[in-house]
Amino acid sequence: VRVCQKYITPAPDVKLLDIGAGEGALSKRLLDAGYGVEACELYTEQFKLKEVTCHEVDLNKTWPFPDSSAEGIIAVELVEHIEDHLTLFSEAARVLKPGGRLLFTTPNILSLKSRISFLFTGYFYSFGPLSKHGFSDNRPHVSPFTIDRYRYVLKGLGLDLVGLETDKMQGSSKAWFWLVPFIRLLSRLKWGSGDDIRMQNSSKSLFGRKLVAIFEKP
């Protein structure tokens, strides 16, 4: 909510869609912060908050909202469970008003902890063997994507990255701080010094536990 308030000014007439709303804990906090909130959830029976309308929405299909009808869309710990990002983000871009913002959080696979995990185990932080889960509608973490990949997809849909935050700095990543100069030097030698390279190896990317990405519809 703190990050949301930083990028979207609260007001009762500011409509936020809480997508993948679950039982409604985030919807309640957004409502208490002064936003106008509507929730989206595939399994609406689990949504507990009576003060907020919860729409039954399959996020892999067309959403039941008009074009340019929301000031903000919030997705907390959702995108890593989704395989069809193109539909998800296309619908978000359609429903957002010009100047509206999409904010989502996801486990940070760019952290030093995650890079070390992948080096030695072949699995990123917060992503394990999918064979343990089996294939079902209640999917585990199936999409280990970097912020660079998300920006690539969303830019193609007309949304610009305007902010990158983290929920907290990860102590287990800080233990590997001595690798940072080598990572940044090798990245610069191989890929140059563009803003996308700097973003991939920023302090938030290297040490953050979760990434919070904010995209805007021009």
Side-chain angles (χ1 to χ4, degrees):
V1 174
R2 171 183 55 82
V3 175
C4 186
Q5 290 172 318
K6 178 178 176 180
Y7 288 93
I8 306 173
T9 303
D13 61 345
V14 173
K15 178 179 175 181
L16 294 188
L17 297 180
D18 176 12
I19 63 174
E23 295 185 355
L26 176 61
S27 292
K28 179 67 165 64
R29 293 179 64 194
L30 293 169
L31 188 67
D32 290 344
Y35 294 103
V37 183
E38 294 184 34
C40 302
E41 175 56 51
L42 181 59
Y43 305 107
T44 54
E45 65 275 7
Q46 69 181 5
F47 190 78
K48 301 291 199 308
L49 190 62
K50 294 181 179 179
E51 306 98 299
V52 171
T53 300
C54 185
H55 304 271
E56 183 176 345
V57 180
D58 183 341
L59 296 171
N60 293 301
K61 300 178 181 178
T62 301
W63 301 359
F65 302 106
D67 296 356
S68 303
S69 58
E71 282 80 11
I73 297 172
I74 313 296
V76 172
E77 301 305 287
L78 170 74
V79 295
E80 63 274 8
H81 297 274
I82 299 290
E83 292 177 331
D84 187 2
H85 287 99
L86 195 57
T87 296
L88 174 75
F89 292 136
S90 292
E91 283 299 286
R94 179 184 67 79
V95 170
L96 280 175
K97 293 181 178 180
R101 289 178 167 176
L102 164 68
L103 183 154
F104 66 83
T105 74
T106 191
N108 178 20
I109 66 166
L110 289 171
S111 71
L112 289 171
K113 173 182 179 176
S114 180
R115 298 184 195 203
I116 295 297
S117 173
F118 187 80
L119 175 65
F120 287 107
T121 72
Y123 294 99
F124 292 110
Y125 159 70
S126 198
F127 290 83
L130 294 176
S131 59
K132 289 181 177 293
H133 301 275
F135 190 82
S136 68
D137 289 334
N138 186 24
R139 291 181 183 144
H141 292 183
V142 296
S143 299
F145 298 137
T146 66
I147 189 63
D148 184 61
R149 196 269 185 186
Y150 285 119
R151 184 165 75 162
Y152 171 80
V153 172
L154 285 155
K155 183 67 175 177
L157 298 170
L159 300 182
D160 297 324
L161 181 67
V162 295
L164 185 65
E165 307 284 347
T166 186
D167 66 327
K168 64 180 290 187
M169 294 300 185
Q170 199 172 44
S172 48
S173 285
K174 290 179 182 178
W176 299 95
F177 76 94
W178 52 273
L179 288 172
V180 173
F182 301 101
I183 290 170
R184 289 175 174 168
L185 175 61
L186 289 172
S187 296
R188 187 165 62 250
L189 291 174
K190 185 172 181 61
W191 303 111
S193 57
D195 68 318
D196 53 340
I197 311 303
R198 291 193 297 273
M199 178 183 65
Q200 288 283 101
N201 295 311
S202 67
S203 294
K204 290 173 182 175
S205 295
L206 291 172
F207 298 108
R209 184 182 66 164
K210 299 182 186 297
L211 289 182
V212 186
I214 304 93
F215 288 84
E216 182 177 86
K217 183 175 181 177

